[in-house]
Amino acid sequence: MSVTDLEVIAPPARSPITDGIRDAAPVLFAYIPFGLALGAALGAAGISRGVAWSSSPLMFAGAAQLVAVQLLSAGAASVVVVLSAVVVNARHLLYSASLSSSVAGWRPRSRWFAPYLLADPVYVLAERRFLRDNSADARRYYFAMGLTMWAGWQALTGAGLVLGGVVPASLHLERAAPLTFLILLLPMLTTRSARAAAAVAGMVALVGSGLPYGLGMLAGALAGVAAGGASDAKGGSDA
Amino acid sequence: MHDLVILVVIAVATYLLRGVFLVSPALSPPPALRRVLTHVGPAVLAAIVAPQLFLIHGSASPRSVSAGVLAAIATGVLWRWRRNLPLALFGGLGAWWIAAMTVAV
């Protein structure tokens, strides 16, 4: 038996924990600009900096943190802030449904802890892993990857908060937010209905961008969901 | 204190949205809800992205729109080409930076 055969039979064993950390690393790297920009926005929002940053450990959800803190600093009514953040995070309900069968065999305490880590990039990596692995390794992978992302996110937004005034404005780190969300959005555009939902939502949000308290975003989201439903009714969910 | 309470309420709501079907795997969303939910992701993300991509301080100019369009195209093309998150993100940021510097009004 040659060395080559051995390598084929026994590929270098990597623990699921190493896998999780390795997969999280490049994603975290790509989240550096958005994390720093969000941290800076949290620091500049005009509410207590500690409270603003606490949104990172509390929510672990960049888009909702951005919307919530912007609305709080604009003096929006509490109900508008909560409603907007819930609309922004409503897509996580789908993530929950999508991973449900994969975690069904996990211990209850793992199933109770898992949702806390289920941010967008964690979902994307978890779904990919669960497609080919439903062993106990999948659970170890999930928590190693999710906790790496979580720790990185706390550090990035904290660094952004501290460095907010130091990073030159000419770098325009704030541009990282829409590009990061765009990369989350693109893989969702697989059906005609999804494209209709995104196109209508984007246009309505643009037209409504002058409305106070982020209502343009809410109007865009609702119009987009309605457009997606209308497209479904015409058979647009197929292609 | 008031702000913290709001953030905690949002955090609890976020946990519930993420957790309902993980904590109780026996539950599953009714088909009608699932269909609506598939549109929520694209709609919400597009509604957040579009104004940030195309407007500067809330107003559109040929310069802001064209720079945003170029950045979006660069990000999309790089993403489809390699499915590499850092490449698409930093490539898009670079394209935006160059476009904002050079695009004539």
Side-chain angles (χ1 to χ4, degrees):
Chain A
M1 186 181 276
S2 74
V3 172
T4 319
D5 289 336
L6 272 176
E7 279 172 352
V8 171
I9 294 164
R14 281 219 319 240
S15 84
I17 294 176
T18 313
D19 275 352
I21 296 170
R22 278 194 191 197
D23 285 357
V27 179
L28 263 182
F29 180 62
Y31 268 75
I32 288 174
F34 175 47
L36 292 178
L38 178 64
L42 296 176
I47 66 176
S48 154
R49 289 157 60 89
V51 168
W53 180 78
S54 75
S55 62
S56 281
L58 282 171
M59 291 178 213
F60 187 39
Q65 287 176 251
L66 186 63
V67 166
V69 171
Q70 279 173 346
L71 290 178
L72 283 176
S73 83
S78 310
V79 64
V80 173
V81 184
V82 173
L83 181 68
S84 300
V86 167
V87 168
V88 166
N89 277 346
R91 68 188 182 285
H92 293 169
L93 201 51
L94 190 66
Y95 300 170
S96 187
S98 152
L99 300 186
S100 172
S101 61
S102 303
V103 309
W106 293 9
R107 287 188 297 251
R109 69 164 183 231
S110 296
R111 282 190 276 116
W112 280 95
F113 184 43
Y116 174 58
L117 300 174
L118 193 57
D120 296 279
V122 174
Y123 168 73
V124 172
L125 291 178
E127 192 201 25
R128 198 185 303 161
R129 175 78 180 208
F130 291 172
L131 276 178
R132 61 179 175 82
D133 179 7
N134 56 9
S135 67
D137 280 357
R139 181 175 52 82
R140 294 190 193 100
Y141 173 89
Y142 179 86
F143 286 111
M145 178 269 290
L147 285 170
T148 306
M149 297 289 297
W150 183 88
W153 187 242
Q154 311 309 318
L156 280 177
T157 51
L161 191 82
V162 173
L163 299 175
V166 182
V167 178
S170 56
L171 273 180
H172 290 292
L173 274 185
E174 76 283 356
R175 290 172 180 161
L179 295 185
T180 303
F181 300 144
L182 183 65
I183 297 172
L184 291 173
L185 169 64
L186 289 174
M188 295 180 180
L189 302 180
T190 50
T191 64
R192 194 143 44 88
S193 298
R195 291 190 286 273
V200 169
M203 279 188 282
V204 171
L206 271 178
V207 172
S209 66
L211 293 171
Y213 309 137
L215 291 174
M217 188 279 291
L218 273 184
L222 295 177
V225 170
S231 174
D232 270 351
K234 284 195 264 175
S237 57
D238 306 326
Chain B
M1 188 61 202
H2 173 251
D3 294 334
L4 184 60
V5 170
I6 293 179
L7 294 180
V8 169
V9 170
I10 295 170
V12 171
T14 301
Y15 178 82
L16 293 175
L17 289 167
R18 290 173 177 176
V20 56
F21 300 116
L22 297 187
V23 170
S24 359
L27 286 180
S28 63
L33 175 62
R34 190 183 271 271
R35 270 199 304 277
V36 170
L37 285 177
T38 59
H39 305 313
V40 170
V44 165
L45 290 172
I48 297 174
V49 165
Q52 292 186 26
L53 200 53
F54 301 126
L55 308 182
I56 294 176
H57 302 306
S59 63
S61 70
R63 191 187 181 111
S64 71
V65 171
S66 49
V69 168
L70 284 172
I73 291 173
T75 305
V77 167
L78 287 170
W79 172 249
R80 277 182 202 276
W81 180 42
R82 282 293 158 92
R83 300 274 150 164
N84 179 311
L85 194 59
L87 177 73
L89 196 272
F90 289 105
L93 273 180
W96 201 337
W97 196 71
I98 293 168
M101 299 273 286
T102 55
V103 170
V105 181

